[in-house]
Amino acid sequence: MPPMKSIASLLSIIALGFGLLGCPSGGGGGASGPGTASGSFTRVALVPNQTDNTVSVFLVDDANGRLRPRGYVVSGASPRAIAVHPSGNFFYTINGVSNDVSAHTISSTGLATTVTGSPFSLTSATGPTAVAVSPNGLFLFVANQTTSNVSVLSINQTTGALAEIFGSPFSQLSAVGPTAIAVHPSGNLLFVTNNNGSPGTLSVFIIESIGSLTPVAGSPFPVGLNPQALALNATGTVVYVANKGGHSISAFSVDQNTGDLSLFDTEPFPNGTAPSSVVVGPGGQFLYVANSGTGTIGWVPIDPVTGTLSAGGTAATVANPQFIRIDPAGRTLYATDSTSNLVSFFSVDPLAGPLTPAGTRAMRDGSAALAFVSGTAAVTPTPTFAYVANAGDHTVSAFAITPATGFLTELVGVGSPFSVAPAAPVALSADPFSRFVFVGNSGTDSLSAFTINNTTGSLTGITGSPFSLTPGTSPQSVATDPSGRHLYVVNQGSHNVSAFSIASGTGILTTVTGSPFSTGGTGPRAVAVEPSGRFAYVVNATSNDVSLFSIQPNGALGVGVVLPLAATAARWAIVTDPTGRFLYVANNGTTTVTVSAYLINAADGSLTEVGSSPFSAAPGIGPVSLSVDPLGRFLYVANKTSSDVSAFAIDQATGVLLAIGSSVPAASPQSISVDLSGRFVYVANGFPNNDVSAFAIDQTTGVLSAVAGSPFLSGINPSSITTVGRF
């Protein structure tokens, strides 16, 4: 794994804050410059979710800043902000209601593990609202809003464990209500904004070698009304404060020896109202400001010599931008809207200042500001293995994928095909971390479970496998949630969904309390879990509708809400796009293939049909399976009756589909899967063909072309296919 370092590196330190205690719509926090050395890459993004007490983990696509879900970890109550250790090995989450700090290790591939002893309690401190790490990684600083003090904790450089230092917490003197915090690039000064009336104040402390804090002469310094965020320029000579109540930006020159501040610029905010977050752009030429009052992101030119501000303009429009951050590589700005559970992202022009919209994705409940981990290499999704459930001979075939070409080689030398006899496997799914494969067996009403050898691709049965379902359930579809904690099985015979907890180390399945859960519809065929892991959708072929479930923390499903759908053809397959904003349903009729498209409400999971849906892709007939590429650009449909694959381009702003190219032949296809690199499509072709078709995806147009050597022989009646890989 490539070594990583956090955004809190040599050039700048994130100032992470939340704002008014207990008020999700409050502002908070800003970040200074790009924060990484030249040539570094952003690998991991972390997002605290204040409402459901989790931290979402994403891998970052270097080319376009898109976020790939890697699940979530559980934090304390009401996580407000995150700071990443300069080594990139640990991250720390402050919890505003439980008054503690959760600590996790983080790998370069986004795997998070709780540090022993976490969470760490704060002494004589309540309402933690902002957090920062010193550049040398020795200390963690926490601003506590309710008690108006600052906690300092030492960091064990080996384990990541925390211990409060002697004298902590440190008094803010006359300053009350801290809202944001930042450490000077030198590591010698700490800055804290305070919302203590009119005006607000900015406290400055000298950081002693042992981590203790000493107020500088003249601290706290007056700023505007209700300061909510601050940012330092790359050299630490200027600090900017966003005054949400005063609709202004205060700018101070910083004496880097004494910490003394000199106010040299207070600009009335020119591009909107209620600035809630602020960040210095790459190169230090522009200041970006989130205007939560007017729903815009403003940009303000910075004088490169003096740091003074001049009139700028509106860089982007976002419904309610409460937090903004720029990734360590300086390529992408992310704006979080906690009220709608969406993050919008924009390409940054470091020379001219304007932002270019690059996408939007759904988040978990109450998402706050992003934090980042960077490394010396970009995230590189690489496919490794494909697995096929063969219903006719009760086996699972395993193939190695050649990453450069997509060519498949059956892993005969390590035992493929693997027997599940006499189970008649019709569905399978791998967990998101490529650790396990789960197989739904319609012949025996059971689940087979295997561990994956990530080196050889071989499968080993998990203790207790196969796991029994209620007789007569006839499982037809299986899916894991994005965190890899839960497995869901659609039972066509009993019109319900079985839910299981997955043991992270072993893959052993345990039935979730209350399982199975009624769909409310009839003839359920397939299940999809949207990428944030908050909702599950089940398509019902007989009643021609979709059941919506909220996913509870223990994996249980809420009461199914049946969503009537307009089209009358049997609903057969279902998939969400990678951003969690759109849902697609295949309508399996006897005429031209159609796919219905829906916008997902990020707040409650409800569906609104996209204009001009359903979409046709002649001459395909009998769609049975759908798959979307990892970047959400293309949708592919396996059409069993017409023995071909249709392709659509996805309008990433609206979800509208546009048929692309001509359909490509695939004999009696039953299942389709796009690999995690987004370069190849694999199709399981049922009896009597008994093989797998492989196609390369044109990365510009989405058009498919056959991989050399395709199709590849499998077992008898291949019914389902999935792929795994590494990053």
Side-chain angles (χ1 to χ4, degrees), residues 266-595:
T266 301
E267 290 288 335
F269 195 71
N271 305 311
T273 60
S276 58
S277 190
V278 62
V279 60
V280 176
Q285 297 188 61
F286 302 99
L287 186 72
Y288 295 94
V289 185
N291 307 314
S292 60
T294 51
T296 59
I297 299 173
W299 62 276
V300 184
I302 299 173
D303 185 290
V305 177
T306 65
T308 57
L309 306 177
S310 57
T314 297
T317 300
V318 178
N320 185 21
Q322 296 168 305
F323 308 93
I324 55 174
R325 295 288 184 266
I326 293 178
D327 78 299
R331 297 187 180 99
T332 308
L333 181 145
Y334 299 85
T336 306
D337 178 355
S338 303
T339 59
S340 61
N341 299 324
L342 295 173
V343 167
S344 299
F345 44 102
F346 305 86
S347 297
V348 178
D349 184 334
L351 299 178
L355 304 173
T356 302
T360 302
R361 73 161 301 111
M363 309 298 286
R364 294 181 68 85
D365 231 357
S367 50
L370 280 72
F372 302 96
V373 182
S374 63
T376 56
V379 171
T380 307
T382 305
T384 52
F385 306 110
Y387 298 95
V388 181
N390 305 302
D393 60 8
H394 317 292
T395 62
V396 175
S397 298
F399 297 87
I401 300 174
T402 302
T405 65
F407 188 89
L408 297 182
T409 304
E410 188 170 7
L411 299 172
V412 177
V414 296
S416 179
F418 300 90
S419 176
V420 292
V426 296
L428 84 170
S429 177
D431 85 306
F433 304 108
S434 302
R435 301 169 301 180
F436 313 116
V437 168
F438 301 99
V439 184
N441 305 309
S442 64
T444 54
D445 296 323
S446 66
L447 290 172
S448 297
F450 299 90
T451 59
I452 299 172
N453 184 312
N454 286 319
T455 301
T456 67
S458 65
L459 300 179
T460 302
I462 288 171
T463 301
S465 177
F467 299 89
S468 296
L469 299 169
T470 303
T473 53
S474 185
Q476 295 295 308
S477 175
V478 294
T480 59
D481 83 316
S483 72
R485 289 178 169 86
H486 310 298
L487 179 74
Y488 299 99
V489 184
V490 165
N491 304 309
Q492 187 178 39
S494 51
H495 313 295
N496 55 24
V497 180
S498 298
F500 297 87
S501 295
I502 304 171
S504 62
T506 64
I508 292 174
L509 301 178
T510 303
T511 302
V512 168
T513 301
S515 177
F517 303 91
S518 174
T519 64
T522 55
R525 287 290 309 181
V527 60
V529 180
E530 58 84 32
S532 77
R534 298 176 60 214
F535 307 111
Y537 298 89
V538 175
V539 64
N540 303 302
T542 305
S543 53
N544 293 327
D545 48 32
V546 168
S547 301
L548 160 65
F549 297 92
S550 61
I551 299 177
Q552 308 305 307
N554 68 346
L557 300 180
V559 176
V561 178
V562 177
L563 305 175
L565 305 180
T568 57
R571 306 309 183 109
W572 210 260
I574 191 168
V575 69
T576 64
D577 86 308
T579 71
R581 299 182 63 222
F582 307 113
L583 180 83
Y584 298 98
V585 178
N587 306 309
N588 190 345
T590 58
T591 58
T592 303
V593 56
T594 63
V595 177

